[in-house]
Amino acid sequence: QVQLVESGGGLVQAGGSLRLSCAASGRTFSNSAMGWFRQAPGKEREFVAAINWNGGATYYAGSVKGRFTISRDNAKNTLYLQMSTLKPEDTAVYRCAAATSRQATIAVAAYEYNYWGQGTQVTVSS
């Protein structure tokens, strides 16, 4: 069992930065691939970034590549998403997720993730 709690969202101006955190409970965090997804009002859930169990592999959606960085601290059971050069189109609820069936490889599809956080709102004003 993994419980995930996101924090760090808020209101920021375009061009600004935010760092999201995802605190995980449970012993399987350090052995699991992790990811961030987002969903804007009226839009489908969208993959943002993923990382494997030890941070050795990462993958990003094209819309955020070069602006966002995913990382993890297994000693602190925490996943991060550093977001820079934010744009109004980044406005969404951001959720972290755990894919406990994956370890060394990353997961991109939402169906591969079996635990989800409740989400944190990110609003980017123009």
Side-chain angles (χ1 to χ4, degrees):
Q1 189 81 0
V2 179
Q3 292 186 323
L4 305 171
V5 179
E6 302 93 338
S7 62
L11 174 63
V12 63
Q13 288 189 332
S17 299
L18 280 176
R19 188 176 81 157
L20 305 184
S21 298
C22 172
S25 63
R27 295 166 55 185
T28 58
F29 172 81
S30 60
N31 296 323
S32 302
M34 299 291 296
W36 287 97
F37 290 76
R38 68 186 182 186
Q39 188 166 16
K43 294 188 176 181
E44 293 188 353
R45 180 173 51 193
E46 176 187 23
F47 166 79
V48 176
I51 190 168
N52 74 336
W53 73 284
N54 66 355
T58 58
Y59 186 77
Y60 298 91
S63 58
V64 307
K65 192 172 185 180
R67 300 188 298 120
F68 291 10
T69 302
I70 189 171
S71 62
R72 66 190 298 162
D73 185 338
N74 287 344
K76 295 182 178 180
N77 271 15
T78 304
L79 176 73
Y80 302 100
L81 184 68
Q82 177 67 48
M83 306 185 294
S84 303
T85 319
L86 283 161
K87 305 175 181 180
E89 51 263 44
D90 294 318
T91 295
V93 174
Y94 285 71
R95 301 176 71 185
C96 63
T100 59
S101 63
R102 284 186 177 264
Q103 187 177 34
T105 55
I106 57 176
V108 176
Y111 72 83
E112 296 183 276
Y113 290 86
N114 50 338
Y115 293 100
W116 293 81
Q118 291 298 309
T120 185
Q121 175 71 46
V122 172
T123 303
V124 184
S125 63
S126 58

